[in-house]
Amino acid sequence: MSSDAVKKRKPKVIRNEEGTPETKRGRAEGEQDVLVYHEEVELEGRDPQQDYLLYKDTCAALAKLMAEIQELKSSGAKVGSVEMEERRRQCSVHFITLKKLNRLAHMRLKKGRDQTHEAKQRVDVLHLQLQNLLYEVMHLQKEINKCLEFKSQHEEIELVSEEEFFQEAPAEISRPHVTRDDHHQLTLARLDWELEQRKRLAEQYKMSLARKEKIHKAIEQKREYLSSLQPGLQNIMQASLPVQECLSMPFEQMQKQAEVARHLPPPLYVLLVQAAAYGQACDKTLSASISGDVDEAKALSRPPEDSQDDESDSDAEEEQQNTKRRRATVGVQLDDKRKEMLRRHPLSLCVDLKCKDGSVLHLFFYYLMNLNILTVKTKVSTTTDLSGAVSAGELLNSESLLNCLYASDHGQETPNPTNRYQFDKVGITTFADYVSDLGHPYVWVQKLGGLQFSSDSELMGSALSASHMERTMKLLQGRLQARLALHKQFSSLEHSIIPVSGECQHLFPAKVVSGLTRWTMMSYQEFTELGFVQHVLKAGLLRETDLFFMAVVERGTARLLAAVVVNPRYPEVMPLFSLSLHWKGERSGRTEDNLRAMESEVNVFRAELQGPRPGFQLLTNQIQRLCVCLDVYLEMESQVCDGSEGPKEFPREKMCLRTARGPSRLKPFKYNHPQGFFSHR
Amino acid sequence: MGPVELLHMSVFSQSFSPCGRFLAAGNNYGEIAVFSLSAALSPDASQASQKPILNFTAHDGPVFSLLSTDTHLLSAGNGEISAWSWAELIKKSTKAAWTRKPSYETSLEIPEINAMIINPKDNSLIVGGGDNNIHIMDMETGIFKSVLKGHTDYIHCLCFKEREEEILSGGEDGAVRIWGHTEIPLSHFQTCSGMASQECARPQFGKWISCLATDSDWMLCGGGPSLSLWHLRSMSPTSVFPLPGCQREAVFYQDLIMSVGEGPHVSHCLHGGTVKAQIPCTPSSLNTLALNLKNTEHRVMTVGGSSHQIDVFTNFSYKAFSLSF
């Protein structure tokens, strides 16, 4: 603008404006350059408002002059007239004034812009400085924070508490006069003390290690010495064996047994201990021994983690192999699972019970590991040959020999209730299918092994076993002897001889005419189909576990069929007879009171028929009494009917006082010894 | 009593208490059981109420006869008669009030007592049993006043004609004797031999008379011969009942005749000689039938025989339930 002003310097136009001070100033500056005219300087002196008013005046004057010119022109004055020229000159002056004002306005604008720009620059600079400072402040703040947060490693070291420190540390380190006041010094002191202590303890540790090494070496030496002794001891033991046998103190054997016994599962161990104790104390004929594979048992008792790892590894391998070849069928897998569930412990116990006549009952006890029950298998060995009695086939059958040793202990189902759930998982419906393989899980076997499954008694373990041992052993021996006695009796019964022992002869008259002609065994099915045993069936006195026989007693034309139910617990439970007579028609105990009285005579009077203890004569006495009763019946019968039938078939030979008594007119079935006559009950 | 003993039990006699609320039954083991009828017949009866409230051994032989007086229960065992106070029995005390033995001639075997009846007019007890004689005992003093002899075999049954005060007795020898006030029988007749053409005779069974019942002029008798209804004044049978087995007890009830015997049923017969019905029951043959007519609330008929169960009939046409020993 100033250059413009310089350029616009018009020597012609020298304005002599109101602003003379500016001109003076211009002149002052003009000493350097007299011809330079600074309009900006003039600008500072002028008031914009006044300039504006001047502008308005000028415009108004111009408009007025124009109007006058117009008037003049319209009034027909000449163009070059003096007034018009005067006015035109004035208009030009006004125009120049307007131009100046315009220039001034522009210069003012430019000046204003420059000022603004400058101010802005200053503000920007200040602003930038402010930002820098703020940034630095922030940075410094962060640094301060970092420093404040810094955790020195020393804080992780556990130091003893201050009181302890002051008490224990020597004065050079603790320097209480300094440290009590200064926390930093205190910490340093404590660290020092800690360091010293640790060094001391490290020394001690090294020394202890060295000592330990020495002791180890000493132990090793002693061990070697001991193991060198072992072969020597073995030789001595071997040499002592003959001495032991001589003195019949089988220490060696017992030790070996004890050694193996350590690997027995707990129930078998309890059983072994109790049986051996009982054998020593009460019954010298009992002997117990262990059989089976000891190594397998040892393998089983290895720590479970190792074996589990091995198993899982091997399982994984096997599975992989299987998928490579062919997947085993679901059935085979289930079978395997079943076999696994029913697995027996490799060790088993064998208990031998000897009876007076030399026959032995061998009991083999097994432990099923996953089911936690004991089972038993039996074997009987006798001194005499037992063949020859067809009907006695079932008596010593190892499957049913020990049935119902205690009432209703059938041994077909497992007594452990948790097994039910285990069986469901592998699809076993009844345990009875496996009983012939695995042995019978009788309840008394569980009790002998100390396993208690019912909530009957509070005894467990050895106490339970001990409380049942004596009774069970006696029952077992009794059972074997009863069965052997029955066996012998059956072989003579099959030959139609009733073996009545000498002590029981007094129960019967000397002459018995009716004789046993047949003695056969029957099955449960055949038995229950008989018509004349239905009352026994209805009274619930028959069970599938019982033994069933048919005896036929004959005299002349009369034939008496007797269906016999023998409970496995014979002779504790009396055999039950049901009668049917075929003589001039068919009568049974249901239709005729006298036959019912005969049944009663044979079934009810245990005390008389039992014979001497232990009562093995019961069955034969019952059969003999049956024959006697049939004699009485047939002989007395002929008396009652009048003689219109001709000669009596059975002449009366029995002595009695009365042939009929009471409302049912019963015959005298009771035999009185030694008078030898028959009377009524 | 084990299950085998129960299987072989027979009930031989029954008697209702004077109030009619209790039943006493005797069995072949010599036991007497007292059952509470009111408990067994009540609407909330259970298994337990069908068991006896009291069961004790009264004699060492079978109890073939039971009889109730107004205060006492008389039971007959092997040759002895015991009396038990009903009040004591209900309170479960088993002490006998008294025991008497008729005098027997033989001592080898003690004869049984098969039948007992009471003569209310002179308060005497008439018993008949195994020694072929009838003994009469005075109830107040307990002395056996007289012995009626005449039968040749043991006596099965007795009954009493109230109007004429005559005793009828039937025995194993097949004779029915009528006794008056003297010791000589008024009359006697055989149902079989002597009148061999009698329709009631059944020689295949025998000739013994095991049941007698009388209703003023009529008499029922049966046993070996068929059960038959006789008119006493003419001494001839008017109707013969075609029942298959031998009858052991028969009673007149209203216009029916009820009898039990061999065979598991109670026979209802009409006077004309027809068998109206045969009601089945549990025991396979029956020995005793009793009607509780003293008490209208518990009007039942009970039968017992060769079983340990006694059937109770509330409606006489069918068996309601069984009491068991």
Side-chain angles (χ1 to χ4, degrees):
Chain A
M1 290 302 239
S2 56
S3 56
D4 287 348
V6 171
K7 282 179 190 156
K8 278 185 180 167
R9 179 171 39 98
K10 291 176 184 158
K12 292 193 259 197
V13 182
I14 299 175
R15 300 258 168 142
N16 211 0
E17 308 271 346
E18 294 92 291
T20 33
E22 299 96 43
T23 324
K24 275 184 190 168
R25 267 226 343 249
R27 279 201 202 121
E29 277 180 24
E31 284 175 2
Q32 296 164 7
D33 188 8
V34 180
L35 296 176
V36 174
Y37 165 62
H38 292 278
E39 209 163 12
E40 302 89 21
V41 176
E42 192 184 344
L43 183 64
E44 282 160 24
R46 293 173 73 94
D47 180 19
Q49 276 295 96
Q50 280 190 339
D51 283 348
Y52 178 60
L53 286 173
L54 186 58
Y55 161 73
K56 276 175 72 170
D57 289 342
T58 315
C59 283
L62 203 57
K64 195 172 110 190
L65 285 174
M66 285 293 168
E68 286 173 1
I69 291 175
Q70 172 69 14
E71 244 182 72
L72 286 178
K73 280 198 174 168
S74 61
S75 61
K78 278 198 282 234
V79 174
S81 71
V82 173
E83 290 103 1
M84 275 185 61
E85 282 300 308
E86 175 70 33
R87 283 186 180 87
R88 213 177 56 177
R89 246 183 283 132
Q90 279 179 350
C91 281
S92 311
V93 172
H94 286 314
F95 271 123
I96 292 170
T97 312
L98 282 179
K99 278 179 91 168
K100 174 147 179 120
L101 286 174
N102 180 35
R103 228 180 17 254
L104 286 179
H106 275 296
M107 283 195 326
R108 274 200 192 102
L109 186 64
K110 183 172 176 254
K111 197 167 138 192
R113 277 200 180 134
D114 284 344
Q115 278 178 342
T116 313
H117 188 67
E118 236 176 280
K120 259 202 345 191
Q121 293 267 42
R122 276 200 305 258
V123 165
D124 278 345
V125 167
L126 285 174
H127 197 200
L128 205 61
Q129 280 181 338
L130 176 66
Q131 293 278 33
N132 283 343
L133 285 173
L134 279 177
Y135 183 70
E136 212 173 313
V137 162
M138 206 170 65
H139 184 252
L140 284 174
Q141 285 274 32
K142 273 201 201 147
E143 290 289 304
I144 291 169
N145 280 341
K146 260 207 292 192
C147 284
L148 283 177
E149 281 172 14
F150 173 68
K151 282 197 182 331
S152 150
Q153 262 198 335
H154 88 276
E155 286 175 20
E156 285 163 18
I157 305 176
E158 283 181 22
L159 301 172
V160 296
S161 69
E162 284 187 32
E163 298 86 35
E164 266 187 71
F165 165 68
F166 279 122
Q167 276 167 13
E168 286 176 3
E172 314 108 33
I173 301 183
S174 69
R175 290 176 287 142
H177 51 278
V178 177
T179 54
R180 285 209 192 270
D181 304 324
D182 191 352
H183 186 71
H184 174 66
Q185 292 296 328
L186 175 65
T187 317
L188 285 177
R190 284 167 79 185
L191 287 171
D192 283 335
W193 171 237
E194 189 70 25
L195 180 63
E196 237 194 75
Q197 275 191 319
R198 286 194 184 197
K199 279 193 201 153
R200 226 174 347 114
L201 289 173
E203 279 296 319
Q204 278 181 352
Y205 174 66
K206 263 192 243 152
M207 284 193 333
S208 305
L209 264 182
R211 254 210 321 258
K212 180 174 145 195
E213 279 304 317
K214 270 196 288 187
I215 293 173
H216 250 299
K217 283 205 192 81
I219 289 173
E220 280 306 316
Q221 274 180 340
K222 288 191 182 147
R223 271 217 186 109
E224 274 175 37
Y225 175 59
L226 280 176
S227 52
S228 71
L229 284 180
Q230 175 82 325
L233 283 175
Q234 285 282 44
N235 291 339
I236 295 175
M237 296 240 306
Q238 287 293 92
S240 76
L241 267 177
V243 180
Q244 278 182 32
E245 277 173 34
C246 247
L247 296 173
S248 64
M249 288 197 293
F251 284 129
E252 170 87 25
Q253 205 187 9
M254 278 164 51
Q255 252 196 328
K256 273 218 193 93
Q257 182 141 314
E259 170 65 37
V260 179
R262 272 200 285 136
H263 297 285
L264 281 176
L268 281 182
Y269 185 74
V270 168
L271 183 53
L272 174 67
V273 166
Q274 293 297 326
Y278 175 75
Q280 268 190 334
C282 309
D283 185 6
K284 297 276 182 278
T285 58
L286 190 151
S287 67
S289 60
I290 309 175
S291 57
D293 192 348
V294 186
D295 294 323
E296 260 194 70
K298 282 191 193 151
L300 279 175
S301 62
R302 240 185 261 139
E305 300 93 40
D306 294 351
S307 54
Q308 266 180 14
D309 283 341
D310 290 344
E311 279 171 24
S312 59
D313 282 346
S314 57
D315 276 346
E317 285 173 15
E318 274 176 32
E319 273 183 45
Q320 285 174 3
Q321 286 176 353
N322 277 342
T323 48
K324 276 183 199 161
R325 291 184 223 138
R326 203 167 34 134
R327 251 192 189 276
T329 59
V330 176
V332 174
Q333 278 178 355
L334 204 59
D335 248 354
D336 289 339
K337 276 196 214 154
R338 276 192 210 136
K339 284 210 195 85
E340 178 61 34
M341 175 148 297
L342 299 171
R343 206 150 71 104
R344 293 211 277 230
H345 194 273
L347 293 176
S348 64
L349 208 57
C350 175
V351 175
D352 294 336
L353 284 167
K354 288 196 196 49
C355 299
K356 286 191 200 101
D357 59 352
S359 41
V360 184
L361 176 68
H362 303 279
L363 297 167
F364 301 97
F365 294 96
Y366 301 100
Y367 178 62
L368 299 184
M369 296 186 289
N370 294 318
L371 301 179
N372 195 29
I373 51 173
L374 290 171
T375 60
V376 67
K377 277 193 175 181
T378 59
K379 198 165 87 95
V380 176
S381 58
T382 51
T383 48
T384 55
D385 182 23
L386 281 181
S387 61
V390 175
S391 59
E394 276 299 307
L395 282 183
L396 293 173
N397 184 354
S398 60
E399 288 286 306
S400 59
L401 178 61
L402 295 180
N403 253 355
C404 298
L405 197 64
Y406 291 87
S408 67
D409 187 2
H410 302 295
Q412 293 296 319
E413 274 303 325
T414 156
N416 185 357
T418 52
N419 293 152
R420 179 77 263 142
Y421 303 104
Q422 288 170 301
F423 286 167
D424 283 342
K425 265 195 269 177
V426 295
I428 298 177
T429 41
T430 52
F431 190 67
D433 303 331
Y434 302 93
V435 152
S436 43
D437 249 353
L438 299 170
H440 293 265
Y442 294 112
V443 177
W444 56 267
V445 177
Q446 318 305 323
K447 291 213 169 103
L448 286 186
L451 295 169
Q452 174 70 276
F453 294 118
S454 64
S455 46
D456 283 341
S457 80
E458 291 161 8
L459 296 174
M460 283 287 286
S462 317
L464 179 64
S465 176
S467 63
H468 279 84
M469 178 63 70
E470 184 169 358
R471 183 144 174 258
T472 311
M473 289 300 156
K474 285 210 162 42
L475 280 175
L476 283 168
Q477 274 180 331
R479 172 65 65 95
L480 178 66
Q481 282 172 331
R483 292 288 169 100
L484 288 173
L486 272 183
H487 210 281
K488 255 197 316 190
Q489 286 166 358
F490 283 9
S491 23
S492 57
L493 284 176
E494 277 180 13
H495 289 106
S496 305
I497 303 168
I498 305 175
V500 180
S501 73
E503 303 105 350
C504 306
Q505 283 293 348
H506 67 277
L507 292 170
F508 314 107
K511 184 170 172 208
V512 178
V513 183
S514 310
L516 179 72
T517 52
R518 202 151 64 104
W519 174 261
T520 48
M521 205 178 82
M522 292 174 80
S523 71
Y524 177 70
Q525 281 303 106
E526 291 166 12
F527 196 81
T528 47
E529 281 161 17
L530 290 173
F532 54 95
V533 305
Q534 296 308 313
H535 63 290
V536 179
L537 202 56
K538 256 196 278 183
L541 292 166
L542 269 189
R543 256 172 218 102
E544 268 201 59
T545 45
D546 295 336
L547 303 162
F548 305 99
F549 301 95
M550 174 71 84
V552 179
V553 177
E554 284 184 26
R555 179 177 172 176
T557 55
R559 223 165 134 253
L560 179 67
L561 296 172
V564 189
V565 179
V566 178
N567 192 293
R569 280 166 64 216
Y570 173 88
E572 267 173 53
V573 177
M574 266 183 99
L576 201 60
F577 283 69
S578 311
L579 303 176
S580 160
L581 180 64
H582 294 256
W583 181 57
K584 297 183 186 165
E586 193 181 324
R587 324 160 198 204
S588 80
R590 309 302 111 232
T591 55
E592 177 153 338
D593 281 325
N594 273 305
L595 278 177
R596 190 158 179 260
M598 275 166 71
E599 281 178 1
S600 171
E601 190 73 22
V602 169
N603 286 335
V604 173
F605 301 99
R606 191 205 166 89
E608 293 172 15
L609 291 168
Q610 187 166 262
R613 291 198 69 208
F616 295 148
Q617 304 297 320
L618 187 56
L619 183 64
T620 45
N621 286 349
Q622 280 179 308
I623 298 174
Q624 183 76 331
R625 179 168 275 193
L626 189 63
C627 296
V628 171
C629 289
L630 181 64
D631 271 350
V632 169
Y633 181 93
L634 292 171
E635 287 171 18
M636 305 295 167
E637 181 81 8
S638 335
Q639 297 297 315
V640 176
C641 297
D642 59 11
S644 55
E645 293 168 7
K648 295 169 194 148
E649 190 181 346
F650 303 106
R652 183 161 149 201
E653 288 166 4
K654 303 278 185 294
M655 260 200 335
C656 63
L657 295 168
R658 285 169 64 179
T659 53
R661 187 179 191 260
S664 25
R665 304 175 63 249
L666 295 177
K667 302 197 166 115
F669 291 118
K670 178 176 169 194
Y671 177 70
N672 297 308
H673 181 83
Q675 299 91 345
F677 69 97
F678 285 83
S679 61
H680 292 83
R681 284 215 181 256
Chain B
M1 283 280 127
V4 177
E5 280 87 357
L6 279 180
L7 198 64
H8 294 283
M9 188 183 289
S10 299
V11 173
F12 281 114
S13 50
Q14 300 174 84
S15 178
F16 288 99
S17 64
C19 55
R21 286 185 292 128
F22 296 92
L23 171 70
N27 70 8
N28 59 327
Y29 295 116
E31 295 178 341
I32 296 180
V34 178
F35 298 88
S36 163
L37 276 180
S38 35
L41 290 170
S42 73
D44 51 350
S46 62
Q47 277 292 92
S49 45
Q50 288 163 0
K51 288 267 164 197
I53 59 169
L54 176 62
N55 188 343
F56 63 100
T57 308
H59 299 274
D60 54 359
V63 180
F64 287 132
S65 174
L66 283 176
L67 185 62
S68 268
T69 63
D70 291 332
T71 49
H72 283 76
L73 173 72
L74 301 172
S75 66
N78 261 359
E80 61 182 10
I81 305 158
S82 299
W84 319 80
S85 155
W86 266 111
E88 294 289 311
L89 284 178
I90 294 167
K91 280 192 259 165
K92 306 202 187 169
S93 138
T94 61
K95 193 162 167 319
W98 46 260
T99 307
R100 304 260 181 272
K101 293 195 177 68
S103 48
Y104 293 117
E105 287 147 10
T106 65
S107 55
L108 260 183
E109 197 181 350
I110 305 172
E112 77 282 17
I113 293 175
N114 283 323
M116 292 195 291
I117 47 173
I118 287 220
N119 182 349
K121 295 227 178 86
D122 60 354
N123 201 16
S124 57
L125 179 69
I126 304 154
V127 301
D131 64 338
N132 309 351
N133 300 328
I134 302 174
H135 300 261
I136 304 181
M137 180 186 100
D138 184 55
M139 289 285 282
E140 276 173 35
T141 57
I143 301 171
F144 284 90
K145 319 194 272 205
S146 47
V147 179
L148 304 174
K149 295 190 201 203
H151 276 280
T152 51
D153 211 337
Y154 75 94
I155 295 167
H156 271 277
C157 46
L158 291 169
C159 71
F160 189 68
K161 274 179 68 179
E162 301 228 343
R163 218 175 42 191
E164 294 96 351
E165 283 189 53
E166 286 168 359
I167 301 166
L168 284 94
S169 62
E172 178 76 11
D173 54 2
V176 175
R177 289 172 188 259
I178 307 179
W179 311 79
H181 289 277
T182 63
E183 289 185 8
I184 301 160
L186 282 180
S187 60
H188 79 274
F189 54 93
Q190 300 275 92
T191 53
C192 297
S193 65
M195 301 173 191
S197 60
Q198 295 285 350
E199 310 88 62
C200 49
R202 289 192 296 196
Q204 71 271 27
F205 286 119
K207 57 184 179 172
W208 76 91
I209 304 291
S210 55
C211 67
L212 271 181
T214 176
D215 182 23
S216 61
D217 286 332
W218 300 95
M219 179 190 79
L220 271 178
C221 72
S226 315
L227 185 69
S228 41
L229 186 64
W230 293 65
H231 189 239
L232 276 175
R233 254 176 280 176
S234 56
M235 297 294 187
S236 56
T238 48
S239 24
V240 175
F241 299 98
L243 292 170
C246 306
Q247 302 307 304
R248 300 225 182 95
E249 188 150 349
V251 295
F252 284 98
Y253 176 67
Q254 294 174 354
D255 54 349
L256 281 180
I257 290 163
M258 308 226 229
S259 88
V260 293
E262 280 175 12
H265 41 252
V266 176
S267 312
H268 291 214
C269 312
L270 297 169
H271 283 250
T274 46
V275 177
K276 182 174 149 210
Q278 293 200 303
I279 319 294
C281 44
T282 345
S284 50
S285 72
L286 294 164
N287 289 328
T288 163
L289 175 140
L291 287 169
N292 191 10
L293 299 169
K294 292 177 213 166
N295 187 328
T296 45
E297 260 177 40
H298 305 310
R299 198 177 68 100
V300 295
M301 174 169 77
T302 52
V303 296
S306 21
S307 160
H308 63 99
Q309 290 183 315
I310 299 171
D311 285 348
V312 177
F313 296 70
T314 45
N315 172 330
F316 294 176
S317 311
Y318 58 86
K319 178 194 103 163
F321 59 91
S322 302
L323 301 166
S324 68
F325 256 80

